[in-house]
Structure formats: structure tokens, C-alpha cells
Amino acid sequence: MMYPKIPLAQTVIQLCKAKGIKHIVLSPGSRNAPLTIGFSNNNFFKCYSIVDERCAAFFALGIAQKLQEPTAVVCTSGSALLNYYPAVAEAFYSHIPLVVISADRPKHLIGIGDGQTINQPHVFENHIHYSANLKQDLNENETNNETEDLPIFKNIEHKIETLLGLKQSIQTYNETEINKAINVSIEKKGPVHINVPFNEPLYDRVESLTVNPEVVAPKIKNDTVSADVLNTCVEDWNNAKRKMILVGVNNPNEIEQQWLNVLANDASVLVFTETTSNIHNTAFFPSIDQIIAPLNADDFNELQPDILLTFGGLIVSKKIKAFLRTYKPKQHWHIGNTRANNTFFCLNKIIETTPNTFFNAFLPRTHVVESNYKTYWQNIKTHRLLKHKEYLKSIPFSDFTAFNIILQAIPNHSVLQLSNSSTIRYAQLFTLNNTLEVYCNRGTSGIDGSTATAIGFASVTSKQTTLITGDLSFFYDSNALWNNYIPTNFRIIVINNQGGGIFRILPGHKNTENFDTYFETTHHLNAKHLCAMYGFNYEKAHDDASLKSALKTFFNDDSTPKLLEIFTPKNTNDEILLHYFKFIK
């Protein structure tokens, strides 16, 4: 087996292997050559080569999103690293273990006008769990062309560091930092940054390792609930007649169905689930805005809970956030081992454990409280669903009807990836097939990276993955298709309403040149030529009939991935959606 000659590169690679980081997303470059040589020549690693660093980082995020284990993304020095930032921020707020490894120039070459140099240490300071800034290997016997023509003060600084720095102490320091960074990513489920300075020559190889780094295992958290917290929760719960559970982003199969059934059978409990919650029961309330949007002040008073219990990630629905901020519950408990957000400005209890562990200890000690809370809202839910179906029969082809048709066609037991903006909000209005696994980048809720994330996810699952995306999200992230790892069963559905349709729903002066240009960003693009360039089978639809016809064979096996572009009327979509909330009341 071939290894990079540089001991620091060997150390990084060995510790990644020791900690089970199998998936390595590499972007071509020169300064990261020692890492590329080491990772790509080791059969333990599954390596990917993706040129666009922003897409590479979201691709890696998609892999980590699926596997729930650290995935590494590796780049050269300079601005390449900055292109990782959107994915790093998403990983930070979505609690996804992403390990960023950046090659860097030696310290004495930073700040003197050398090419491809920026200040890389701590570059992600506000959105990272740990930054490991490694020290360069020292070898006084090697001739180094990079130090020959240094300014005198830089040359002196370099020589002082060389004389004072002992090889073994630097090796120990680097091992400690790498161990800590990767362990933090595992323990906190989030992004970390390892910055690795390399001196030339970069491409030298050896046939045997010259270092054997110490491996420090991550800390395994004792997942329990304290007796005091549990006793207080049980007492308060059993005395409350109105309990609301609100579930945000949640991975599939994280909660045992028996506990979900217990909650579903309690007359004093309402369980509101978002599309990305991945939990199901016929007694739950999956279309939050369908319930919330038409309510008046008296209705909100009837809905106001005594206890709000939340778990999972961020909430999509603006309407329920506005409701709970105005009609605050007496108590808000949040369950989870990651960051607890005070979204509704009334958080008073953080229970640091997994929801499953909490319910396992908590629910056997609770009892059903006599209440008409759920019955009252179940009746409203039934009414809303009837009006929802009635409305769909009365409206012309639009974004709304397209989503209704698409969501019924997604194959059972497959993966649904949703882009942000209008897409995730439309999906929230429908009851989805409960066999689907549903994902969306809701950490920062940006439109960048949705396609790359979905492709990364699809590359590590045998299940068919479908991405539903808006036109702006798709074209913005079109470099994601510059990718050699797209499975043939991957599907993209683009809702093309010729611009940022969500801005037509927001307050503003529509149908003006200023609005069309600077807000809606009206365009006349289509995906046909992109599909031809990147080897996708392209289909299109423009009404109910052509959409239903296309979907009949769209998910069938094929030798290439497929894209279906649906053209909807941009000037009526917003009116149809806004009128929906009036109609269902």
C-alpha cells in the first residue's frame, strides 16, 4: 500500500480510519495532495471526487444525514475552504457530524502575498463545534525550497519555531487535536474543522507508515433521566388537561411505536407533527398550517396548551410559532441531547436525553386525563380534511394541485428529499404516505445545497430517493449534477413556476418590474439542456393530465437518473394558495 511521505498526513488518515470515518469527499487540488494520496490508496475508505467545493460539502452532508456518522470533506488551501461554509452552517444547526479537513500552507507563507493563502484557522468560528489547527511537521535535515527566499523576519520566525519545536511534542499535539476534533463531532453531532499545514514536496510517497498515532475514544454519554426531573414531569403531566407535543425534524424509527400509540390514546394530548418528523399515527395532526391558519382569537384560546413538549429539530410552520409565542403554554419542555432552542420564548425545562429514553421512563408512570381537548380538535381536523379535498376539486392546475398529484405517486418505502422555500411549505399541507423517509435541510433553511444533499444521501442508500425542488433552488445548485455518483434510481421533480413563487405569497407590490426583477427573479429557464449535459432522462408536464401520465413510468427502473419538470402558472399559484386557507375554514 502507498502512503504519503509526510507524517502529519499519515496521522490524519490513520485517526480517521480508527474512528470509522469511511466516506471521504475530495475536491481536486495540490496542497491537499498528501491527504488525497493517503485516503484514495487505502481500501478502507470510500472516496469521492467532486470539483465544486460547495456541492462537495453538501454531498458529504447528505451522506452523514443518512448514516448519522462522521463524513469527511477534504480541500486544498485558499478560497476552496470558504465554499464549505454553507454546508458547515447547515450541519451546525441540523446536528450532522461533518468533518472538514483543509490543507494549508505553512505558517511562514501566510500573509506575505503567496498564492492560494487566506487566514484558515478558526475560519468557521461562529458555526463550528471545534477547530483543530495543526502544526507543521519539522525535519531540519530536509532542504526546503519554500523557505529560501523568505523575508528576513519570516525566515527568523521559521527558524526559531524549528529550533524550539521538538518533533515528538508536535506529533503529540497534532494527535491530541485530531482526536479531540473527531470525538467532538461524534459526541455533539455536528461539524468540526481540522486545518492541516503542509510544506512541499507534497507528492512523495512511501510504502510503510512512519508514525503510529494514539487513538483516544469518544466519550459515551450515560443516557438516563434523573429521578427528580422525572418525578416533577410526571406530576405536572398528570395534572394537566391540555398537553401539546410538537415534533420538528426527526430521523425515522427513533421513537418506539408503542410510545407513540400511548400518546395517541390520551384524550388530553395533541401531537402536531411536521412533514420532516417521520412519526405517524392516525390520531396525530400532521398538517399544522391546515389547522392553525384559519383560527381566530377564541380558537387560539381553546388550543393554548398547559404543557408544550417538543423534540426533534427546527420547526417549519411560521403559523404555529406565531401562535405559541402569543398564546404561551404554562410550561415548555424540550427533550434532546443537542441544542435546545427557546423558539417560543417560554422554555423552562431541558431534558437532556433521547426522546425514546425519556418516554420509556416517563409514559408508564402517567395516566390518561379526562379531557375534551383532543376530541374538540379532531372534529376540526376532520372538517379541514373534507374542505381540503373539496378545494382540490375546484381549482385549476397549479403548484397546489401538482403537489397533490406528486405526493400520492411517490413509491412506498422510498426516500423523499424536499428543498426549502415553497416546496417544504406545500408539502406541509398534505398527509404524506407514512412509509416514506422524509428529509429537508432545515438547519439554516437555505435553498443552496438541496440537490447536492439529496444526491449524497442517495449515494449511500439502496432505497429510491426522490428530490422535489423549486426552480430557483434547482438552478442555484445545478453544479450538484456534476457528479459521478448519482444512482440510476435517483429522481428529481422540479416545480418550475418561473421564479421565486414564495415571494408572491408575502406582502409586497406584485406584478411590477421592481418586484419581478429583485424579489421574484422572473426567468424563462428550463432544465432540458442541463439534463442532456449531465446524462439525466428528461420529462416535462404542464397540466393534470400530462403530469399523471409522466408519473406512471417516472419511478420505473432505468439506466439513467430522471428529472421531471412541471411548469405551473406563476400568476395564479399565490392566489390559489392564499384562498385555500379561507376556503377550509
Side-chain angles (χ1 to χ4, degrees):
M1 186 180 293
M2 300 300 296
Y3 303 97
K5 184 177 181 181
I6 297 173
L8 180 52
Q10 294 180 18
T11 303
V12 172
I13 292 157
Q14 287 185 78
L15 287 174
C16 284
K17 180 178 179 180
K19 294 177 185 296
I21 302 179
K22 297 177 182 178
H23 296 270
I24 312 293
V25 182
L26 302 156
S27 288
S30 181
R31 190 59 55 166
N32 59 334
L35 295 169
T36 301
I37 290 167
F39 283 124
S40 62
N41 280 286
N42 191 317
N43 291 332
F44 174 83
F45 300 106
K46 168 65 176 175
C47 292
Y48 310 80
S49 178
I50 296 179
V51 175
D52 185 318
E53 282 88 1
R54 183 170 65 85
C55 293
F58 276 109
F59 179 89
L61 183 137
I63 294 174
Q65 185 187 70
K66 165 57 183 172
L67 301 179
Q68 290 297 298
E69 60 187 39
T71 300
V73 59
V74 182
C75 71
T76 189
S77 62
S79 61
L81 178 60
L82 300 181
N83 286 298
Y84 286 166
Y85 213 140
V88 169
E90 179 62 36
F92 183 75
Y93 289 109
S94 287
H95 314 298
I96 294 175
L98 185 68
V99 178
V100 173
I101 305 174
S102 58
D104 200 356
R105 274 164 163 67
K107 183 179 178 182
H108 59 269
L109 292 180
I110 307 298
I112 64 166
D114 208 36
Q116 282 189 275
T117 58
I118 63 171
N119 294 318
Q120 293 184 196
H122 304 290
V123 73
F124 303 122
E125 184 175 6
N126 292 326
H127 300 93
I128 205 83
H129 286 298
Y130 192 75
S131 294
N133 299 294
L134 307 185
K135 295 182 179 180
Q136 179 192 333
D137 289 318
L138 296 177
N139 192 334
E140 297 174 50
N141 296 321
E142 288 185 357
T143 301
N144 192 333
N145 295 329
E146 288 192 341
T147 64
E148 288 180 358
D149 299 321
L150 288 176
I152 186 65
F153 72 93
K154 280 285 181 182
N155 210 335
I156 292 172
E157 179 185 18
H158 174 69
K159 288 179 178 178
I160 290 172
E161 289 186 350
T162 302
L163 290 171
L164 294 179
L166 300 174
K167 286 185 185 179
Q168 188 56 44
S169 65
I170 288 177
Q171 177 65 20
T172 301
Y173 171 84
N174 286 339
E175 290 178 15
T176 301
E177 286 296 287
I178 298 166
N179 271 296
K180 185 171 182 180
I182 298 174
N183 286 349
V184 167
S185 183
I186 294 168
E187 292 161 4
K188 293 193 173 183
K189 294 185 178 180
V192 296
H193 176 206
I194 302 173
N195 193 54
V196 194
F198 291 131
N199 225 336
E200 294 186 7
L202 300 168
Y203 293 88
D204 288 355
R205 309 177 188 205
V206 293
E207 293 185 0
S208 58
L209 294 166
T210 58
V211 291
N212 182 26
E214 179 185 3
V215 179
V216 179
K219 296 176 183 177
I220 299 175
K221 188 171 183 178
N222 187 16
D223 195 22
T224 59
V225 187
S226 75
D228 289 344
V229 170
L230 193 59
N231 290 337
T232 302
C233 288
V234 168
E235 182 178 358
D236 290 347
W237 188 267
N238 285 336
N239 287 325
K241 292 190 174 184
R242 293 184 180 185
K243 281 97 73 172
M244 180 182 292
I245 296 176
L246 177 59
V247 190
V249 177
N250 190 66
N251 291 320
N253 305 313
E254 284 204 344
I255 313 297
E256 292 178 34
Q257 192 63 41
Q258 63 169 318
W259 304 130
L260 298 178
N261 295 340
V262 169
L263 295 169
N265 291 327
D266 192 325
S268 65
V269 177
L270 297 184
V271 181
F272 280 96
T273 63
E274 295 229 301
T275 299
T276 52
S277 70
N278 288 296
I279 67 170
H280 306 280
N281 189 290
T282 54
F284 292 171
F285 293 74
S287 301
I288 297 174
D289 286 2
Q290 199 179 82
I291 299 293
I292 297 287
L295 301 182
N296 58 34
D298 290 338
D299 297 324
F300 284 133
N301 283 320
E302 289 293 329
L303 185 59
Q304 184 177 18
D306 299 320
I307 296 173
L308 170 68
L309 187 153
T310 59
F311 62 89
L314 301 185
I315 301 297
V316 176
S317 172
K318 290 184 176 181
K319 291 177 171 59
I320 200 161
K321 281 187 276 193
F323 158 62
L324 289 169
R325 287 169 181 171
T326 305
Y327 297 84
K328 292 182 175 61
K330 296 173 184 175
Q331 297 189 55
H332 174 197
W333 310 346
H334 183 78
I335 309 168
N337 283 320
T338 53
R339 184 186 311 107
N341 295 301
N342 190 13
T343 305
F344 314 109
F345 313 132
C346 56
L347 181 64
N348 68 313
K349 191 168 293 182
I350 300 171
I351 304 165
E352 294 187 27
T353 187
T354 64
N356 211 49
T357 298
F358 175 75
F359 290 137
N360 188 59
F362 173 71
L363 288 177
R365 295 180 54 185
T366 64
H367 60 254
V368 174
V369 176
E370 186 177 340
S371 172
N372 66 351
Y373 191 44
K374 189 167 76 173
T375 302
Y376 180 89
W377 289 101
Q378 282 282 14
N379 290 335
I380 290 176
K381 173 186 169 183
T382 301
H383 172 74
R384 296 273 198 271
L385 287 172
L386 290 172
K387 297 295 287 184
H388 174 90
K389 293 175 181 178
E390 185 181 337
Y391 189 69
L392 281 166
K393 294 177 182 178
S394 69
I395 56 176
F397 184 71
S398 60
D399 284 353
F400 203 102
T401 57
F403 271 92
N404 179 56
I405 295 168
I406 294 165
L407 292 174
Q408 292 182 61
I410 306 292
N412 289 342
H413 305 289
S414 65
V415 176
L416 175 59
Q417 287 269 355
L418 298 166
S419 72
N420 277 302
S421 202
S422 294
T423 300
I424 183 65
R425 287 178 168 80
Y426 270 111
Q428 293 270 100
L429 300 176
F430 296 86
T431 302
L432 267 62
N433 179 340
N434 63 13
T435 71
L436 301 179
E437 297 179 11
V438 185
Y439 295 86
C440 181
N441 286 349
R442 288 306 298 175
T444 61
S445 308
I447 67 167
D448 50 344
S450 294
T451 306
T453 301
I455 294 172
F457 189 107
S459 73
V460 290
T461 180
S462 59
K463 293 186 175 183
Q464 185 169 69
T465 300
T466 302
L467 168 69
I468 304 177
T469 180
D471 47 356
L472 292 192
S473 296
F474 173 74
F475 292 124
Y476 191 96
D477 198 29
S478 60
N479 260 10
L481 304 184
W482 187 8
N483 186 306
N484 294 322
Y485 313 99
I486 305 175
T488 58
N489 66 352
F490 182 65
R491 301 290 181 265
I492 300 177
I493 298 175
V494 180
I495 311 293
N496 190 336
N497 49 29
Q498 301 89 58
I502 194 168
F503 289 100
R504 300 186 67 84
I505 300 166
L506 303 175
H509 297 286
K510 293 178 284 190
N511 302 321
T512 65
E513 183 178 350
N514 180 277
F515 176 86
D516 290 350
T517 303
Y518 298 109
F519 291 91
E520 189 180 21
T521 55
T522 300
H523 67 84
H524 300 287
L525 303 175
N526 68 70
K528 183 176 182 179
H529 296 293
L530 281 171
C531 287
M533 182 165 66
Y534 290 118
F536 271 68
N537 185 321
Y538 176 79
E539 298 179 43
K540 64 180 180 179
H542 59 275
D543 57 20
D544 285 359
S546 59
L547 177 55
K548 289 176 181 177
S549 177
L551 287 170
K552 286 179 182 178
T553 58
F554 182 67
F555 298 103
N556 293 353
D557 291 341
D558 206 333
S559 59
T560 62
K562 297 180 184 179
L563 182 147
L564 171 61
E565 188 166 24
I566 304 166
F567 296 91
T568 64
K570 77 183 186 79
N571 290 327
T572 57
N573 282 321
D574 57 322
E575 296 299 330
I576 288 170
L577 179 61
L578 292 171
H579 184 64
Y580 168 75
F581 294 113
K582 299 175 183 177
F583 185 90
I584 62 173
K585 186 175 182 179

